[in-house]
Amino acid sequence: MAEVRGASYRDEHGRGRRAIGGQIWPDGRPAVLKLSPDRALLTKQVEMLRVFAPSGRVPAVLFADADAGAMVLEEVLPGTVADDMPQTSLPQQWGELLAALHAVAPPARWPLDLRGRFDEAFARIGRRLSEPAIGARIGQAAWQRAIRRCERLLASQARLVLLHGDLHLGNVLDGGPSRGLIAIDPKACVGDPCFVAVDYVVAGAGQEGVEARCQRVATACGLDGDRLYAWSRVIAPMAAIAHLTYDGPEPMIDELLTLSR
């Protein structure tokens, strides 16, 4: 395979990874070489992609070598990130993506669930409240409200599905008319199907508004709009911290902080 282009990036824990596209696999398929220094993480990623493979909505794993910290995935073409796609048709396409992903039955005794995901996230992100720039906008009261709201939603989960776990607009690519949207970088866990649409909904803050986007997405995806909106209030302070860190638009931050109240 000839190296044509590459991109370096860091995951949410700051670990460096590299993805190199523009490769051709021996069977003629376009491919991407993905490198990671975290071998355990790469092994988990391969397992999760293979679990979701029957959906046809994740890249196929063509080769993996955990010892080398490398895997080869089919390249998603045209590969436009969902955030850059026409927004008018995106809710319907998102609904089709969720239906395909949620049709995959959770493997027996899958070790990761939504509660564990939130326990980790609240602990990790919550430490940032001690930073002056963050603490000045988000206090412990708002953080504890989010934890209580999360606990109520977790306790009232009725239907459990295998979730992608990190389905934001940057983790979904256009696979073309015959394929539809393709999800990358799953962090698969079992939980409430409404959760998987929440990052898309919250991204509407400061634009058409979270509540308006929630209604459109819930209708298109066949989800409970009230639960989806409730999940948006859980992750609103987390999203606000991310935007405060990277100097996000103030209208977006203001709406997220209002949702946190």
Side-chain angles (χ1 to χ4, degrees):
M1 294 189 294
E3 183 172 319
V4 177
R5 62 182 184 274
S8 296
Y9 61 99
R10 292 188 177 274
D11 65 17
E12 63 179 297
H13 301 292
R15 293 180 290 248
R17 291 185 284 176
R18 182 171 175 81
I20 303 167
Q23 318 289 312
I24 300 297
W25 198 238
D27 65 5
R29 279 184 287 181
V32 173
L33 172 64
K34 187 171 181 179
L35 306 173
S36 173
D38 190 330
R39 296 174 182 177
L41 179 65
L42 185 138
T43 299
K44 290 179 182 177
Q45 188 104 102
V46 169
E47 180 185 12
M48 292 175 183
L49 286 168
R50 286 176 172 161
V51 165
F52 277 119
S55 72
R57 294 302 190 112
V58 296
V61 178
L62 305 180
F63 173 81
D65 186 338
D67 291 337
M71 64 176 164
V72 179
L73 306 174
E74 68 162 319
E75 185 170 17
V76 179
L77 298 173
T80 306
V81 178
D83 207 18
D84 296 330
M85 294 175 63
Q87 297 301 300
T88 52
S89 61
L90 195 57
Q92 185 61 42
Q93 294 180 72
W94 206 273
E96 294 166 0
L97 171 63
L98 298 193
L101 293 176
H102 294 169
V104 177
R109 295 181 293 279
W110 187 255
L112 305 174
D113 62 15
L114 196 53
R115 181 179 295 279
R117 178 79 193 278
F118 269 107
D119 286 346
E120 184 277 333
F122 277 121
R124 172 172 48 84
I125 301 172
R127 289 193 287 269
R128 302 204 53 205
L129 297 180
S130 62
E131 299 174 20
I134 302 298
R137 304 290 296 275
I138 303 172
Q140 281 293 338
W143 199 248
Q144 291 304 315
R145 273 196 300 273
I147 291 174
R148 290 192 298 271
R149 286 167 175 157
C150 182
E151 182 56 41
R152 286 194 294 270
L153 287 166
L154 291 173
S156 60
Q157 294 179 108
R159 178 186 171 217
L160 300 179
V161 300
L162 187 64
L163 304 171
H164 176 282
D166 193 24
L167 203 64
H168 56 74
L169 288 163
N171 266 351
V172 176
L173 307 178
D174 181 6
S178 64
R179 192 88 181 271
L181 298 181
I182 303 297
I184 63 172
D185 293 344
K187 296 180 180 176
C189 61
V190 176
D192 184 350
C194 283
F195 171 76
V196 80
V198 72
D199 284 315
Y200 177 21
V201 167
V202 168
Q207 299 177 50
E208 76 261 43
V210 170
E211 188 169 7
R213 180 171 288 191
C214 181
Q215 292 172 355
R216 288 204 304 133
V217 171
T219 299
C221 298
L223 298 172
D224 182 330
D226 291 337
R227 283 189 72 84
L228 183 54
Y229 186 71
W231 275 120
S232 74
R233 302 190 75 187
V234 170
I235 72 163
M238 298 182 183
I241 288 174
H243 288 294
L244 286 167
T245 300
Y246 297 106
D247 297 320
E250 197 61 31
M252 177 174 282
I253 294 170
D254 285 343
E255 184 172 354
L256 292 170
L257 293 179
T258 299
L259 277 172
S260 304
R261 292 174 189 157

